[in-house]
Every structure is written in structure tokens, then in C-alpha cells.
Amino acid sequence: MVNTKQIHSLFPSELDIPRDLRHEYIIDQTEFLINGKIEEWDGPVKILYSPIYIDKSGKYERKIIGKHPLLDKDTALNVLKAAETSYNYGKGKWPLMQIEERIECMSSFMEKLISFHDSIVKFMMWEIGKPSHEATKEFDRTIDYLSDTLEAAKDIAENNLEIHDHEGIKANIKAAPVGVVLCMGPFNYPLNESFATIIPALMMGNSVIFKPPKYGSLLYQPLLELFSECFPSGVFNTVYGHDEDVIIPLLNTGRIDMLAFIGTSKAANILHSHHPKPNRLKEVLGLEAKNPAIIFEDADIGNSVRQCLKGALTFNGQRCTALKILFVHSSIVDKFLGRLKFEIEKIKIGMPWDEDVTITPIPDAERIKYLSELVHDARNKGALVLNDNGGYHDKSLFFPTLLYPVDSSMSIYHEEQFGPVIPVVTFDDIQEPIRYVWQSKYGQQISLFGNDRATMNYVVSSVLHQTGRVNLNTICQRGPDQFPFTGRKDSAKSILSVKDALAEFSMPGIVAVKDDYEGIEMLSAVLKGK
């Protein structure tokens, strides 16, 4: 790993950047999508900076990569009106389509989206500092998610034809849309996790208002035309701007039927509080986590270290599924830490286009400040930084940091760092990490490393009802997308997976009759009339 004296050399000059990956012009976006049309905005805009600093003869400057509109309240309300008109209480063209027709539209969208692979990967590298291999993986996974959603929707189409017969009642039960859905995605997975709500919302016949992430918005600029081409007017719309100017006014109307938000529980609570009819508001929330790993005395040290390193540091640890705290049995802690420290110091730090890079520029300057405060607090209360250069940062780069021993007096023990800081806690009694899981306000996932089946069984049975997923001898992760992705407590509300998401963005619509001749004739006539 580079030392602090070498860190300046990591930031490139323009000529150091591979030619095909250079960001050579500013994306002057003044457009937003409303009612099927790309409208020009002539008001204020936000200047967008890359987290990548450019070396200009020894002077380092963040590169300006683009602009996007800062819409106002009136424009946001016009966007809402377009979405409402499109939905028209469920009588609009899109919600009344048979699901097979919506599948055709979505298939066309997916085929055309594939051609944007290179530009979207490049945008992710420059906007959020995502390594090229991680950005490519995110794009490919998004295409897979779309493809799998199409297959799952076909099953729903078949189920929509069924007639159910119970207790003298015959009924047809169809998946019906919810209404107008406000989607807000995160910066760390600006394509995949945004699409994880947008795609099922559209597939089930809803109208969508989408606000791109704070970082990672420019990649949607070339997609506006694609959304306009593939979906009826008003079905997909975008808003840009400060939440207080566009999002809060939308929620204040009480006319948003569903909120799909991936971010922090604090932000979700604020958004929820602005809807005057909260019982009407259906919510899909993917929130923060403090996923622990427990490494038992009989764990395979090599595998545990590899998995914990990957789980804690991939893409700077900026993942809700990242391992955020490690509990290591005291009998092996010295050996584990020695091996982990050795592996951390082999971690590659650099620019997103560098081969095999793990630590890259962080887009949020406030996050770097927060990480520094967490490290400072832990050190003041007795923790040591075990690896060379741990806790050091320069501009947008933050060195991976191994902290030990960590205890409950430290902020890092409780708070989600969302960055490349690895706190390690030692334990003798297995009840200590189990109590941590029980008492934590988060409950997304946990990883257990060990070989004794009785111990594994005991811990799984102790924590499974407090967390959404238990991983044995492997890292926490979202996929495969066919598995339910959820969490307990302040980590999630609802389930996001291919099949479950389609259910979350719909409601069962039931048409029922008495099981007699007249009833059956009436049900048949209504269903034939679609």
C-alpha cells in the first residue's frame, strides 16, 4: 500500500488518464422528463464535481463534470400532475394494459439500455469514484435484474387468469398497481438500487416520479430519451433539486401513493412526516445497517480474513451490506489481527480505472470528516490504529483503518461508518456478540465464521429473528436477487427481490361473485371485458 508521502502521485494529470476514460467536456444538463417530453429548464443549476482531483502542475483541483437542474416547487407539482394524469385513478393507458403488454415495453427498454453500458460505467467512475470492475458488475447485474423481472412478471400474468373457489365464493385475484410512486435511489449503487424500485414499480402499472441520487445523477441524462421512447406519456418522470424545494412539496400534497426510498432511517422518517395522510402512504425503504461478523475460536483464519477484508472494504466500505464491526474470539484475536493487518497493507489505493483497485476517491467530503471523527473518538478512548497510514486522508482518499480494541464507549461501536474503517471487538462469551445483535437498532445481516455445527446452530437460532439474513463463513451481500432482501428494525421496511418487489409495488385486486350460475356468468363477462 502507498504511504502518505506517495499519496499525491495517485491523483492524475489529464494525460495520465486513459484516453477512452477521460471526461473531456462538462455535461450541461438542463433537461428533465415530464409527461413523456424532455423539457428545458432555464432556472438555477447545480455544479457537479467529481471526487477525482486533477494534478495541474502540482496544484490539485476537483474536476467539474457537469450540471443538473435545480427545479422549484411549481415545476415539481407539474410533474406530479403529469404522473397523476397518466395514472388517472387506475384508468390510464399504462395501468389498464395487460401485464403482457407492459412486458413488451420493458423488454424493448432493456434491449436499448444495453447499448449504454460504456457511458454508464464511465459516469459511475467519474461521479462516485466506483472502480471500473465494480461499475461493470453493477451494470450487468441491473440487466440481469431486468431480465429476471420480466420472467417473474410472466408468472404473474398467468396467475391473473386463475379463478379461486372457496366457501361458495368464486374470485379472480389480480395484482393491481398502487398509484403514483416517488422513487429515490442511493449514490453508492445509483443504477442498480434505483432500478430495483423503478422497474417493479413500472412493471406493475404505476406511474413513477424519480429523483436521481445526489451523486450519480448525470448517468441518467442520456437515459431520459430512452424512458420517453419506451413508456407512455407521464408514466416515468424526473425531478432534480433540493429536497425542500421538490420532494417535500410533493409529499405535502398527500397525493403521493407510495414512497420507495433507499437511504438513511433519519431521512426516511423526515420524508414520512411530511405526508399528511401517512396511513395512505405505502413505503418501500432500504435503510442503513451495522452488519457484524463473529469469528469463533475454531474459524478458518485464512477464509475469515479474506471474507472480512472483502466484506468491509469493497468500494470503500460504502455498502449497506458491508461488514461494519468484527467480533473476534480472544483466543485467536492476535493471529487474526496480524493476518488482517498484513492483507490490508496489500490493498490497492488509486483511481477507479486502475486495475484491481479497492480504495478510490469518496464523493462526499462530509463523510471523510465523519470517518476522521470516528477514528479520533476511538483513539481517545483507548483504541489503536494497527495498520500503517490508518486514519490518514488526503483530499478525497481515506486510507483503510483497522481499529482495536473497540468497546461500547466508542461511537464506532454503535454507528454505521459507511467507509473503510474496520472496528474489532474481542469476546470470550458468545452471549456478548449475541447481545450486540439483540440490542442494536439495526437488523439487516450478520456473518458467522466457524466450524462447530452446534455453535453455529445455537447462534443462528439466537439471531435469526433479529436480522434479515445469516451468512455462514461468507460475507453479507444482497444477492442473488431471487432471494428476499430485507432487514429488521431500522434497516428496512418491505422486501426487495425480483418476485417480492413486484408484490410490494402492487396490491391484490379481487373481483368476487357467489358460486352460482348468474355469478359465474357475470364474472366471466367482466373478465372478458378486461
Side-chain angles (χ1 to χ4, degrees), residues 128-138 141 187-189 193 291 304-324 326 340 343-344 347-350 352 356-363 367 371 398-401 416-422 474-478:
I128 62 173
K130 179 160 281 194
S132 60
H133 59 275
E134 290 293 330
T136 297
K137 187 187 302 182
E138 179 174 347
R141 182 177 176 182
F187 84 87
N188 58 330
Y189 287 89
E193 293 209 3
N291 296 328
S304 301
V305 167
R306 286 191 299 274
Q307 295 295 315
C308 288
L309 191 75
K310 181 179 179 181
L313 296 183
T314 297
F315 186 36
N316 299 316
Q318 297 173 121
R319 299 157 42 246
C320 66
T321 56
L323 289 174
K324 308 281 175 50
L326 311 183
L340 184 58
E343 295 298 330
I344 287 175
I347 286 288
K348 187 168 184 178
I349 301 174
D356 298 325
V357 71
T358 297
I359 302 299
T360 53
I362 293 174
R367 179 59 49 176
L371 292 172
F398 195 98
F399 273 55
T401 306
E416 183 196 35
Q417 61 269 42
F418 210 73
V421 179
I422 308 176
T474 188
I475 60 173
C476 299
Q477 56 188 308
R478 175 167 178 161

Side-chain angles (χ1 to χ4, degrees), residues 312-340:
L313 296 183
T314 297
F315 186 36
N316 299 316
Q318 297 173 121
R319 299 157 42 246
C320 66
T321 56
L323 289 174
K324 308 281 175 50
I325 187 166
L326 311 183
F327 289 85
V328 184
H329 195 276
S330 62
S331 65
I332 62 166
V333 69
D334 291 339
K335 187 175 180 181
F336 179 87
L337 289 173
R339 184 76 171 268
L340 184 58

Side-chain angles (χ1 to χ4, degrees), residues 179-239:
V180 176
V181 181
L182 174 60
C183 293
M184 301 173 67
F187 84 87
N188 58 330
Y189 287 89
L191 183 73
N192 184 259
E193 293 209 3
S194 294
F195 270 45
T197 62
I198 292 170
I199 296 307
L202 290 174
M203 181 61 76
M204 299 316 296
N206 302 286
S207 289
V208 169
I209 300 172
F210 173 56
K211 182 178 184 289
K214 179 179 179 181
Y215 309 107
S217 64
L218 283 178
L219 67 88
Y220 283 95
Q221 191 261 355
L223 299 184
L224 297 183
E225 188 69 41
L226 181 57
F227 277 107
S228 176
E229 289 176 3
C230 294
F231 301 103
S233 298
V235 169
F236 183 84
N237 312 271
T238 59
V239 291

Side-chain angles (χ1 to χ4, degrees), residues 470-511:
V470 180
N471 303 277
L472 306 182
N473 292 312
T474 188
I475 60 173
C476 299
Q477 56 188 308
R478 175 167 178 161
D481 286 319
Q482 286 75 15
F483 293 176
F485 179 62
T486 186
R488 294 172 179 263
K489 300 183 260 190
D490 282 347
S491 284
K493 187 175 182 180
S494 72
I495 304 172
L496 286 175
S497 67
V498 171
K499 183 177 178 180
D500 293 305
L502 293 173
E504 293 285 0
F505 285 91
S506 61
M507 294 289 290
I510 307 169
V511 180

Side-chain angles (χ1 to χ4, degrees), residues 83-131:
E84 286 180 313
T85 300
S86 171
Y87 187 68
N88 191 25
Y89 300 97
K91 292 288 288 181
K93 179 180 179 181
W94 186 246
L96 284 182
M97 272 188 188
Q98 295 297 303
I99 197 166
E100 294 89 346
E101 296 175 280
R102 294 201 290 267
I103 289 173
E104 289 182 14
C105 292
M106 198 66 74
S107 296
S108 174
F109 176 81
M110 181 180 71
E111 291 171 5
K112 294 176 181 178
L113 178 64
I114 292 172
S115 66
F116 288 87
H117 172 277
D118 291 349
S119 65
I120 288 177
V121 166
K122 184 176 176 181
F123 272 122
M124 279 195 268
M125 293 167 64
W126 278 98
E127 286 192 83
I128 62 173
K130 179 160 281 194

